[in-house]
Amino acid sequence: MTDRHQHSGRRRQLTDLTSAQVVEALSGRTVVWPIGAIEQHGPHLPLSVDLLLAEAFAGEIAAELDAFTLPAQPIGARSLPQSGGGLHFPGTVYVGGDTLVRFLRETLASLAALPSARLIVVNGHYENEPFLFEALDQVRQQGLLDGKEVFAFSWWSLVRDTWTDAEVPDFPGWHAEHAGVTETSLMLHLHPDLVTELRPDHDRPPRAGVYLHPVDVGQTTNQGVLSSTSGASAALGEKLLRHVVDEATAMVREGEGLLFARTSPDRRTAKDAKDGKES
């Protein structure tokens, strides 16, 4: 059995700081916030998959970057039939999109007021992504992110096509990977005690970007599973975890696509530093 804290344990938790310590401890530092959901994941995985995976990725990324982590946000957007199996299966707990945008916007605004230089948001729930990006853009438009670097992404967005081509034959696309081989493998690696012996497959994964009503979940899913769990293993989960963490830390360290942030002098190249002295 794998101990959860071996992977995403209580490293540097922002919530362990006292108020008197916050300014000095966070000045110029990185904060990582995982957001997930409570959502059905078939008969073989717990409702907490999206939450636990976001927490695990965030913990590993924070460890690599010597960053502070926030407790994971557990409530997300509602499941949709073509990505999360919909609300036809019991257990999903959710808020509406407008409520989620407001919550994320106000939380992000308060995080922006901290003296940290960089915020990383790691999403583990497919339906959260558009609401997260909308909230971030609203906070940006208010000018509250000025002087800070922000990286926000769903963990699967960092998986390279070359990785899925090599490791997951007949990959159905991330919209249909709900409770499939990748999530099952990650859970087998991180929390094998929460995974049942069942390995349901669904040989007709739904198309992306299609909304059906009334939907027949008996056709579009297999007990809430949208694709295949065959081939899932702890070894594959470990490979995937490492791949995403490596991609995330490289993206943050290299800062590709970012404007130079004054709060992050490590972004300066030798030429930038020289030009700055001459001007």
Side-chain angles (χ1 to χ4, degrees):
M1 182 179 296
T2 303
D3 183 354
R4 163 182 171 186
H5 293 279
Q6 176 182 337
H7 301 276
S8 58
R10 292 177 60 80
R11 310 195 197 272
R12 293 178 179 268
Q13 287 279 1
L14 185 147
T15 50
D16 289 341
L17 298 173
T18 67
S19 177
Q21 295 170 329
V22 166
V23 172
E24 181 178 358
L26 292 186
S27 182
R29 301 292 295 279
T30 297
V31 173
V32 186
W33 184 30
I35 64 173
I38 299 172
E39 178 191 37
Q40 75 84 21
H41 276 76
H44 63 303
L45 295 176
L47 302 173
S48 56
V49 168
D50 292 348
L51 180 64
L52 293 176
L53 296 187
E55 186 179 53
F57 282 115
E60 293 290 337
I61 292 166
E64 292 287 340
L65 298 174
D66 193 25
F68 285 87
T69 58
L70 281 164
Q73 160 59 24
I75 308 300
R78 66 168 58 85
S79 300
L80 296 175
Q82 273 63 53
S83 53
L87 301 178
H88 300 272
F89 302 93
T92 299
V93 180
Y94 68 94
V95 294
D98 53 348
T99 300
L100 185 59
V101 168
R102 179 177 178 182
F103 171 81
L104 292 172
R105 182 182 68 238
E106 294 186 6
T107 304
L108 290 164
S110 66
L111 289 174
L114 295 173
S116 55
R118 180 186 296 136
L119 173 65
I120 301 172
V121 186
V122 182
N123 175 45
H125 178 54
Y126 192 89
E127 286 89 341
N128 282 347
E129 186 176 289
F131 303 111
L132 170 61
F133 290 175
E134 174 63 21
L136 275 164
D137 219 37
Q138 290 183 16
V139 175
R140 178 194 61 79
Q141 289 177 325
Q142 295 172 357
L144 300 179
L145 299 180
D146 292 352
K148 292 185 183 292
E149 289 183 3
V150 177
F151 294 82
F153 53 87
S154 301
W155 64 260
W156 54 87
S157 298
L158 301 191
V159 180
R160 293 190 178 273
D161 291 343
T162 52
W163 193 93
T164 52
D165 289 345
E167 303 290 346
V168 187
D170 302 318
F171 183 67
W174 289 109
H175 73 287
E177 250 303 284
H178 176 76
V181 66
T182 58
E183 287 189 320
T184 304
S185 294
L186 285 164
M187 290 297 291
L188 283 170
H189 172 52
L190 293 163
H191 304 282
D193 54 313
L194 298 180
V195 183
T196 75
E197 297 299 320
L198 299 172
R199 293 293 177 269
D201 289 340
H202 183 61
D203 60 3
R204 290 176 294 170
R207 295 177 178 179
V210 176
Y211 189 94
L212 300 176
H213 176 78
V215 65
D216 181 352
V217 294
Q219 292 188 51
T220 59
T221 81
N222 178 5
Q223 305 172 78
V225 178
L226 304 185
S227 55
S228 172
T229 64
S230 295
S233 69
L236 182 64
E238 184 175 17
K239 281 185 182 180
L240 180 53
L241 179 74
R242 193 70 257 157
H243 173 68
V244 172
V245 172
D246 288 347
E247 290 291 322
T249 53
M251 177 177 66
V252 172
R253 285 172 173 151
E254 294 167 9
E256 183 177 354
L258 290 180
L259 287 170
F260 170 68
R262 289 185 174 84
T263 54
S264 303
D266 57 304
R267 292 280 178 245
R268 286 185 181 270
T269 63
K271 181 178 182 300
D272 292 330
K274 180 180 178 182
D275 291 346
K277 289 180 180 178
E278 292 175 350
S279 57

